[in-house]
C-alpha cells in the first residue's frame, strides 16, 4: 500500500506531461466530456417529450462510439452508424412484418432472420473493398438484432426503430457540433504535417549518413533493433525509418481526410489528399536509397578511410545539396507554396555530375589492381597516397562549413597498410557505438569470408586481398547509391509539382537569390 | 432497373468466389450467425428467469461487438469488455451512492461525474501504452454512462449494473465457446503462415532480380506505383514489398496471438510469438537489399550487357544460393523444424566469395580506365571483349538449369560501342515493359546528366564518358549489394535459430544429402 501513492503520483505526473506535450489530446478529452454532459441533460426532460428521457441512453451511446479524435474519423463513423442503423431498421421492420404474417411460425422467422443477418453481415465485412464500412456492418447487426428482439418482447417494432434512430441522430449531431465547433482537430492537417515531417527526417538521415561515412563512423555492434527493423533511437536510422514506416498511418489519415469538408488552408472541394500520400510515396522511394547508404555504414566491409577522403568533398556536396533539396521541398509542402521557376535540382545534379567525374578520373581507387590478370599496375598504393596529397592541394572547398570537420582528418598521417581499419582509433568516431545493453545483444554482421573459409588456411593471403578489394568496392557502391538517390529526386519533384498544381499552392514570391 | 439484376448477380458471383477462396470467412459468418441464434432464444424464456428475457439484448450486443475473426482477437476484446464493464460498474455504483447522499444536488453530481468519466477515459486512451485497451476505455465509458443515466431514471442502480454484467458474461461465454469449439481460427497460425510466406516472396524477388539483371531486363517506363511505393503486381516488386509492408499486420496478429492459449503445434505457455516477428524483421533487413538490387534494374544508369555477362555465372550462383537459403529457412519456419547441423550458409558464402574473387581479378571491367590521370591502359575495350570470350570458354556451369537461358545471349555478337543499350533490341527482354496504361503514366527516372547539363554542349564528349563510367560502376554496385545481402543472411539465420530454440522446433531428421 505504501507503493500506491508514489506510483499514482508518477502516473499523474506523466499524464500531465503527456497532456502538455500535445494539448489537443486534453482538448479532445474535454470535448467528449462536454458532449456527454449535454446529452445527459436529456434525462431531466419531463412532460410531453419524456420519450427522449427514456431512450436517452442511445444518444449517449452514439457519442461514445462516434466521437473520434479527428473530424474526418467522426464523420466517417457517423456516416457508417447512420447507414447501418437505417438499413437495419428498414430490413428489421420488413422481417417483423413478415414474421407476424406467419402466425405460429413467428419465432422461427425471427431466429432465421437473425442467423441470416449475422452470417451475411459478418461474411461481407471481410470483403476487402468493404474494409472502411466494417463499423457500419457491426452497427447494422446490432440494430437489426436489437429491433427484432426488443420489438418481439414489447410488440413495438416501429416505435423502437424510430426512437432509436431519432436518438442516434441527436447523439450524432451533438457529437459533430461539439467536435467541429470547439477547437477542431483535422485529420487532413495531421496528414499534411506528417508528410512535411518525413522530408525533414529523410534529409537528416541523408546528411547523417554522408557525414558519418566520411568520418568513418562504425558501429562496434549494430543495434539488434536495426537488424530486425524495429524502432530505435539511432539518429541516422530513425529519420528514414519513420518516413518508410508511416505508410499505414498515412493511409489511415487519408481515409479520414477525404471525409472532411473544406477548411482552413484546404479550401477546395475534392482536395487532392491522395497526392500528399503520393508525394510521401515518392519520398519513400528516395528514402530506400538512404537506407541502402546506411547499409554501407552498417556493413562490415568498409572502405579504407584514406580512399574515402579522396572523394570527400564531392560526396559531401552531393549529400548537402540532396538534403537541401529535401528540406526545401518539405518546407514548400509545409507552407504550401509552389516551386520557384528554375530547376530546383540544378545544384544537386551538378554536384552528382562532379562526383561522377571524380569517380571517373580516379576509379582505380575503387578497385584493387594488384589482382588483374592483364598486368599489374606498379606502385598502385603509392599512387593512391600521392593522389590524396594532390587532392588536398587542389580541392575546391565548395562546402566550407561542413567540410572543415572532415578537413583535419585529412592531415592525419595515413598508414600505408590495407589493415587500416584495425588501427584507426583516431578515425572510428564512436558517438554511435555505445547504447543501452539490450540494444546491443546482436553480434556484428559477419563478412562471410571470415566464417566459412577457415578451412582453406593456405589461401589466407588471397583471402585478405579479396577482402581488400571488396572494401574498396564498397566506396564505389556508396557513391553509386548516392547518385541513384539524386536520380530519384526527379520523381519526387514531379510528384510535388503535381500536388502543387492540383492543390493550388500559392505562387512562390521570387526574391533576389540569397544563398 | 434493368441494371440491377446483372449487378446483383455479379456481386453474388464474386461473393461466392470470395468465399471459395478462403473457406474460413464463410465459417466465420456462420459462427456469428449461430452465436446470435443461440442468444436470441433467450427472448422466449418465460417464468422465473424472465429477467434474462428483458436484458437479452445486452448478450446479443456483446456477441456482435466481441466476436472477432480470430480467437486471440475475441479473447482480447472480451477481456477489455469485461474489465471495462466491471470497473465502470464499480465506479458508477460508488458515484450513484454518493449522489443520493447529496439530496438536491444529485443531478449535479451525476452530470459532473459523467463529464469527468468522459474526460479521463478519452484522454487516457490516447496514451500510447494504452493502445491495446482502447476498446476497454470505450466500454468503460458506455457502461458508466448507461448505469448513471438509466439508474437515475429507474432508481435501480444495482439491478441495472448486475443484470447488465450478467448478460454480458452470458454473451461473452457463448461467443467464446462457439468461436473456440467450432473450426477455430487462430491469429498465431496466421502469423506463422505470414512469416513463412514472406520468405518465399523475398526469395522469388531475389531470383527475379538477379535473373532480370543478367537478362538485361529494362523497364521502358517504370510503373508509377513502384515510384510511389504503392502495391503493384510487378513480380519482382510484389515479393519483397509484401515482406517489407507486412509490419503492421504482423504487429496486429502478434497482439492477438499472445492472447491465445496453447493449441495445435504451439503447445507451450508463453509461446515465443515475438520471435516470429523478429525473424520477419531480420528477413526485412535482407529484403531491403533485394529492394536495392531491384533499384539497379529500375535505374536509368545501366551496365552494358557484355560486361554483365562476365560475371554472369557468379552472380547467378549467388542469387540462386541466396534464394535457396531463404526458401530453406522459410520451409523450416513453416514445418517448425530446426536447421540441420552444419552451416546452411556454406554454399552461399562460397558463391559470394567466388563472386568477390572474380570481381577482384576483373575489376577493370567495372571502371572506365580511359579517364585515369595516371596513364591510360591501352585497348581496354578489346581486352574486355577478349575476356568475355575467355569467360565463355572457361566458365564453370555451376547453375545449369538457369544459366542456359542466359547462355544463348552470350553468343549474340556484341557491338563494340558503348551505346550498346540503344541498339539492343535483342537483349532488352520486354516481359516487364508493357502493362495497363494507367500504371505507366510516369516518365522514366532521368539521369541528371541528360537534363541539367544541356548548357555545356562542348563538353558532350566528356559527358558521355562520364555516363559510361557510371554505367560500368552500376555493375559493381549490383555485385556489392548482392554480397551485402549475403552478409545479412547470417543475422537472419541467427534470428531463426533463436526462434527454433525458444519455440522448441522439432529436430531435423538428417537424411543422406540428395541435392
Amino acid at each position: 500500500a505504501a507503493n500506491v501513492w508514489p506510483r499514482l503520483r508518477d502516473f499523474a505526473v506523466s499524464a500531465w506531461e503527456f497532456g502538455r506535450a500535445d494539448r489537443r489530446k486534453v482538448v479532445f478529452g474535454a470535448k467528449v466530456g462536454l458532449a456527454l454532459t449535454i446529452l445527459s441533460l436529456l434525462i431531466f426532460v419531463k412532460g410531453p417529450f419524456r420519450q427522449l428521457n427514456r431512450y436517452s441512453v442511445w444518444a449517449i451511446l452514439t457519442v461514445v462510439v462516434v466521437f473520434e479524435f479527428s473530424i474526418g474519423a467522426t464523420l466517417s463513423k457517423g456516416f457508417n452508424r447512420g447507414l447501418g442503423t437505417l438499413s437495419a431498421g428498414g430490413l428489421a421492420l420488413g422481417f417483423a412484418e413478415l414474421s407476424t404474417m406467419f402466425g405460429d411460425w413467428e419465432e422461427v422467422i425471427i431466429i432465421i432472420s437473425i442467423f441470416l443477418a449475422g452470417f451475411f453481415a459478418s461474411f461481407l465485412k471481410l470483403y476487402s473493398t468493404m474494409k472502411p464500412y466494417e463499423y457500419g456492418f457491426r452497427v447494422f447487426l446490432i440494430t437489426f438484432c436489437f429491433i427484432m428482439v426488443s420489438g418481439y418482447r414489447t410488440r413495438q417494432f416501429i416505435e423502437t426503430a424510430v426512437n432509436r434512430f431519432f436518438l442516434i441522430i441527436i447523439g450524432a449531431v451533438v457529437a459533430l457540433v461539439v467536435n467541429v465547433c470547439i477547437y477542431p482537430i483535422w485529420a487532413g492537417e495531421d496528414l499534411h504535417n506528417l508528410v512535411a515531417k518525413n522530408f525533414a527526417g529523410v534529409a537528416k538521415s541523408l546528411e547523417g549518413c554522408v557525414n558519418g561515412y566520411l568520418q568513418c563512423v562504425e558501429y562496434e555492434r549494430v543495434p539488434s533493433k536495426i537488424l530486425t527493423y524495429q524502432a530505435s533511437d539511432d539518429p541516422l536510422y530513425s529519420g528514414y525509418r519513420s518516413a518508410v514506416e508511416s505508410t499505414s498511418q498515412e493511409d489511415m489519415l487519408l481515409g479520414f481526410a477525404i471525409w472532411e469538408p473544406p477548411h482552413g488552408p484546404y479550401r477546395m472541394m475534392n482536395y487532392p489528399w491522395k497526392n500528399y500520400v503520393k508525394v510521401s510515396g515518392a519520398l519513400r522511394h528516395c528514402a530506400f536509397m538512404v537506407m541502402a547508404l546506411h547499409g554501407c555504414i552498417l556493413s562490415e566491409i568498409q572502405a579504407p578511410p584514406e580512399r574515402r577522403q579522396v572523394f570527400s568533398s564531392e560526396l559531401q556536396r552531393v549529400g548537402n545539396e540532396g538534403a537541401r533539396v529535401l528540406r526545401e521541398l518539405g518546407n514548400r509542402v509545409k507552407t504550401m507554396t509552389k516551386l520557384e521557376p528554375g530547376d530546383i535540382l540544378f545544384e544537386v545534379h551538378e554536384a552528382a555530375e562532379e562526383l561522377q567525374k571524380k569517380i571517373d578520373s580516379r576509379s582505380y581507387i575503387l578497385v584493387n589492381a594488384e589482382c588483374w590478370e592483364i598486368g599489374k599496375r606498379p606502385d598502385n598504393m603509392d599512387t593512391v597516397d600521392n593522389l590524396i596529397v594532390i587532392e588536398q592541394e587542389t580541392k575546391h572547398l565548395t562546402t566550407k562549413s561542413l567540410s572543415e570537420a572532415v578537413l583535419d582528418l585529412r592531415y592525419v598521417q595515413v598508414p600505408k597498410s590495407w589493415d587500416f581499419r584495425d588501427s584507426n582509433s583516431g578515425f572510428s568516431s564512436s558517438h554511435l557505438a555505445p547504447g543501452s545493453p539490450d540494444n546491443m545483444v546482436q553480434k556484428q554482421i559477419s563478412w562471410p569470408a571470415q566464417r566459412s573459409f577457415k578451412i582453406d588456411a593456405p589461401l589466407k593471403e588471397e583471402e585478405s586481398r579479396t577482402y581488400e578489394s571488396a572494401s574498396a568496392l564498397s566506396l564505389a557502391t556508396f557513391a553509386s547509391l548516392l547518385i541513384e538517390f539524386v536520380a530519384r529526386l526527379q520523381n519526387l519533384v514531379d510528384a510535388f509539382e503535381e500536388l502543387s498544381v492540383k492543390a493550388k499552392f500559392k505562387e512562390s514570391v521570387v526574391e533576389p537569390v540569397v544563398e
Side-chain angles (χ1 to χ4, degrees), chain A:
Chain A
N3 263 335
V4 173
W5 281 113
R7 276 207 194 163
L8 255 175
R9 209 188 45 213
D10 287 355
F11 180 73
V13 167
S14 78
W16 177 257
E17 286 302 320
F18 174 68
R20 273 169 56 102
D22 190 352
R23 207 164 290 254
R24 300 185 308 166
K25 288 172 180 167
V26 182
V27 172
F28 170 68
K31 274 158 62 175
V32 174
L34 180 64
L36 288 175
T37 310
I38 292 172
L39 286 173
S40 66
L41 293 176
L42 282 177
I43 58 174
F44 307 119
V45 172
K46 302 262 151 61
F49 294 106
R50 55 183 304 277
Q51 290 291 352
L52 284 182
N53 173 335
R54 192 168 162 206
Y55 294 100
S56 58
V57 133
W58 289 111
I60 291 180
L61 250 167
T62 303
V63 168
V64 174
V65 159
V66 156
F67 209 111
E68 293 278 340
F69 190 64
S70 72
I71 290 170
T74 306
L75 283 171
S76 119
K77 269 207 152 178
F79 170 81
N80 267 302
R81 192 165 175 87
L83 199 72
T85 307
L86 261 187
S87 56
L91 214 63
L93 290 182
F95 268 103
E97 200 62 26
L98 193 75
S99 69
T100 50
M101 277 170 19
F102 275 75
D104 288 351
W105 292 86
E106 186 182 352
E107 283 85 357
V108 177
I109 298 287
I110 289 182
I111 288 182
I112 289 178
S113 70
I114 286 181
F115 177 83
L116 288 180
F119 175 75
F120 282 108
S122 307
F123 174 63
L124 292 179
K125 82 175 175 194
L126 295 176
Y127 210 78
S128 53
T129 50
M130 294 296 173
K131 201 86 191 273
Y133 309 111
E134 201 268 346
Y135 180 67
F137 279 104
R138 225 179 261 267
V139 170
F140 169 86
L141 199 49
I142 291 179
T143 309
F144 186 86
C145 293
F146 185 79
I147 293 178
M148 292 307 274
V149 167
S150 68
Y152 172 80
R153 202 168 51 80
T154 60
R155 293 284 142 195
Q156 298 167 320
F157 284 100
I158 295 189
E159 211 199 312
T160 309
V162 170
N163 276 316
R164 183 174 145 92
F165 189 68
F166 189 57
L167 266 296
I168 284 181
I169 296 278
I170 292 184
V173 167
V174 169
L176 205 65
V177 168
V178 169
N179 207 354
V180 174
C181 297
I182 304 172
Y183 198 98
I185 297 161
W186 303 96
E189 210 172 286
D190 278 1
L191 177 61
H192 183 186
N193 290 333
L194 177 65
V195 173
K197 209 189 69 189
N198 283 346
F199 275 92
V202 177
K204 210 186 76 189
S205 274
L206 173 67
E207 263 181 6
C209 282
V210 173
N211 291 339
Y213 193 76
L214 293 177
Q215 289 161 35
C216 303
V217 166
E218 273 179 53
Y219 289 79
E220 296 209 359
R221 281 163 175 277
V222 177
S224 70
K225 286 194 171 169
I226 294 182
L227 294 181
T228 53
Y229 193 57
Q230 292 170 291
S232 155
D233 49 5
D234 182 289
L236 302 188
Y237 175 70
S238 59
Y240 67 78
R241 186 184 188 277
S242 66
V244 168
E245 199 43 20
S246 65
T247 349
S248 56
Q249 211 189 339
E250 280 167 24
D251 286 345
M252 196 190 66
L253 288 175
L254 174 66
F256 295 149
I258 50 178
W259 281 92
E260 293 176 348
H263 61 275
Y266 321 105
R267 290 187 197 290
M268 195 192 302
M269 292 308 286
N270 292 322
Y271 193 79
W273 293 116
K274 261 195 117 121
N275 283 83
Y276 282 94
V277 175
K278 216 170 150 188
V279 166
S280 194
L283 174 66
R284 206 162 288 128
H285 197 59
C286 297
F288 289 131
M289 276 297 129
V290 178
M291 186 181 248
L293 289 174
H294 191 211
C296 292
I297 297 184
L298 296 176
S299 171
E300 194 180 309
I301 311 162
Q302 291 282 347
E306 71 273 19
R307 300 201 167 194
R308 300 187 200 194
Q309 294 314 317
V310 174
F311 301 97
S312 166
S313 71
E314 285 78 11
L315 288 172
Q316 187 90 62
R317 189 172 158 218
V318 175
N320 290 343
E321 289 295 337
R324 196 188 55 76
V325 168
L326 288 179
R327 291 222 172 82
E328 166 95 23
L329 285 175
N331 231 9
R332 286 187 186 268
V333 168
K334 185 153 205 161
T335 58
M336 303 176 79
T337 42
K338 286 190 177 159
L339 285 177
E340 282 167 29
D343 191 359
I344 185 181
L345 295 178
F346 184 79
E347 282 91 357
V348 73
H349 279 174
E350 208 172 47
E353 180 79 351
E354 205 146 299
L355 171 62
Q356 186 60 63
K357 276 185 209 153
K358 181 68 164 270
I359 290 172
D360 203 26
S361 61
R362 305 276 196 294
S363 50
Y364 49 86
I365 297 179
L366 304 175
V367 291
N368 194 13
E370 284 172 32
C371 305
W372 287 359
E373 289 165 2
I374 48 173
K376 291 177 194 283
R377 181 171 295 282
D379 296 329
N380 189 45
M381 281 310 297
D382 287 350
T383 324
V384 170
D385 286 340
N386 291 342
L387 264 153
I388 292 173
V389 174
I390 296 167
E391 278 318 300
Q392 285 169 349
E393 285 159 6
T394 62
K395 68 183 172 300
H396 323 290
L397 280 173
T398 38
T399 53
K400 272 182 197 153
S401 60
L402 274 153
S403 62
E404 268 158 13
V406 182
L407 254 174
D408 41 2
L409 293 183
R410 291 196 189 148
Y411 293 101
V412 171
Q413 218 226 313
V414 188
K416 286 190 184 182
S417 98
W418 280 97
D419 299 329
F420 189 84
R421 283 197 333 132
D422 301 326
S423 56
N424 60 350
S425 54
F427 279 79
S428 174
S429 151
S430 60
H431 73 267
L432 280 171
S436 57
D438 64 304
N439 253 352
M440 305 293 168
V441 291
Q442 197 63 36
K443 63 177 171 296
Q444 195 170 358
I445 298 174
S446 63
W447 164 235
Q450 300 179 345
R451 288 179 72 94
S452 55
F453 294 93
K454 288 174 202 140
I455 26 168
D456 34 21
L459 290 175
K460 201 149 189 292
E461 173 78 359
E462 185 187 334
E463 224 179 80
S464 82
R465 227 174 19 229
T466 306
Y467 179 82
E468 287 155 21
S469 144
S471 70
L473 262 188
S474 137
L475 177 58
T477 305
F478 189 86
S480 196
L481 292 173
L482 197 57
I483 289 170
E484 175 65 21
F485 168 81
V486 172
R488 288 187 176 187
L489 283 176
Q490 184 62 52
N491 172 44
L492 178 59
V493 170
D494 291 346
F496 173 80
E497 277 179 345
E498 192 186 332
L499 168 68
S500 71
V501 169
K502 284 204 181 155
K504 301 206 176 100
F505 279 10
K506 299 190 286 284
E507 290 296 334
S508 154
V509 185
V510 184
E511 293 165 281
V513 186
V514 186
E515 292 233 346

